[in-house]
Amino acid sequence: MANKRSLKHAINLICEELFAEAVAASLYGNELNNDNADAVLSSIIRLQTDYISRISHVEPGMKAKLYFKNLREKFSAEAEEIVDQINNL
């Protein structure tokens, strides 16, 4: 398991890239639908804040290794959903 600092850094980098791609897709896409773009951007921000805060507070009663493995899997799944939403902009 990586330390908490590197995990937070990785989450921040991924969310920054997703945010940049969403902005680019909303600006240069074929259709102008600002509501969908705003929803995607806000979901990226929520994803980032949610997972950064969850890193510092491990669930009681759960082993740390299992908790962080589960956290990474859930983050990856949600990031893939956002990528799909960006592709549909």
Side-chain angles (χ1 to χ4, degrees), residues 16-59:
E16 287 174 12
E17 290 294 322
L18 287 174
F19 195 85
E21 288 295 322
V23 169
S26 69
L27 291 176
Y28 303 115
N30 295 335
E31 297 178 12
L32 292 175
N33 193 347
N34 291 335
D35 293 336
N36 288 343
D38 290 343
V40 170
L41 293 174
S42 64
S43 68
I44 293 169
I45 293 170
R46 274 194 307 265
L47 176 78
Q48 182 180 14
T49 56
D50 179 42
Y51 280 91
I52 292 297
S53 66
R54 287 174 58 185
I55 289 173
S56 298
H57 305 288
V58 178
E59 275 186 35

Side-chain angles (χ1 to χ4, degrees), residues 9-20 44 47 75-76 79:
H9 183 69
I11 288 174
N12 281 326
L13 286 177
I14 291 169
C15 290
E16 287 174 12
E17 290 294 322
L18 287 174
F19 195 85
I44 293 169
L47 176 78
F75 177 78
S76 296

